[in-house]
Amino acid sequence: MSELKPILLVEDNPRDLELTLAALEKCQLANDVVVARDGAEALAFLSRRDPHTGKPIGLPAVVLLDLKLPKIDGLEVLERVKSDPETRQVPIVMLTASREESDLVRSYRLGVNAFVVKPVDFQEFFQAIRDLGAFWAILNEPPVGCARRRDWTPAGG
């Protein structure tokens, strides 16, 4: 049996990050959760390449991606990931507070797999994250991919 792929959580808001991690932990998923706090960190994680093959090392099972991020926003991250043949099959869930129709439409045009508006209510938010984690890490059947990465840390981190 192959090793589990990690979940990449891209979130800059400390409160939302803490709640999301707590909800994922409560799901008792065996997947590692890797946190990137801005779009640049997310792209660095996704673009790490094996020096022998040039292929990405251990792509995640899913990326939970905030829309409004420092350095590189979520839509730009989405566009870059979906335009790269090596990463385009990675499922991306836009997890955002934005209810803007233009953000929703642009996300789907760029290839997002799901667009989830963060509920304001704590219990609803918690349940939404648990459901997302369970679906993408357990129920979803992705194409065969690489094993998880255990050694990644952001530059300077």
Side-chain angles (χ1 to χ4, degrees):
M1 182 175 165
S2 64
E3 289 188 54
L4 293 173
K5 295 179 180 183
I7 294 169
L8 176 58
L9 173 58
V10 189
E11 177 61 69
D12 65 317
N13 180 302
R15 181 178 177 271
D16 288 351
L17 177 61
E18 183 179 335
L19 289 174
T20 304
L21 289 172
L24 288 170
E25 185 177 319
K26 185 135 183 159
C27 293
Q28 298 181 335
L29 299 175
N31 306 68
D32 288 339
V33 178
V34 175
V35 175
R37 288 175 176 80
D38 60 54
E41 279 186 22
L43 290 172
F45 178 84
L46 290 164
S47 68
R48 275 199 62 227
R49 302 205 175 266
D50 182 304
H52 303 290
T53 66
K55 292 185 178 181
I57 300 170
L59 293 172
V62 64
V63 177
L64 302 178
L65 180 63
D66 190 19
L67 187 63
K68 309 292 186 208
L69 294 168
K71 297 186 182 176
I72 301 173
D73 74 19
L75 288 170
E76 179 70 18
V77 171
L78 173 63
E79 184 172 24
R80 289 187 193 185
V81 170
K82 294 300 184 177
S83 66
D84 183 339
E86 297 290 340
T87 58
R88 77 170 43 128
Q89 290 185 355
V90 174
I92 297 182
V93 175
M94 196 63 74
L95 185 59
T96 179
S98 174
R99 293 187 180 276
E100 295 291 325
E101 182 72 17
S102 60
D103 289 336
L104 175 76
V105 170
R106 183 152 183 236
S107 293
Y108 277 108
R109 283 191 181 142
L110 293 173
V112 79
N113 297 88
F115 190 98
V116 177
V117 177
K118 296 174 188 174
V120 175
D121 177 75
F122 171 77
Q123 289 299 333
E124 287 178 17
F125 180 79
F126 204 78
Q127 187 61 46
I129 298 302
R130 288 181 60 196
D131 292 347
L132 282 171
F135 176 79
W136 289 104
I138 297 170
L139 299 174
N140 185 50
E141 287 290 336
V144 176
C146 301
R148 76 177 167 189
R149 219 176 326 203
R150 297 174 195 225
D151 60 345
W152 186 84
T153 55

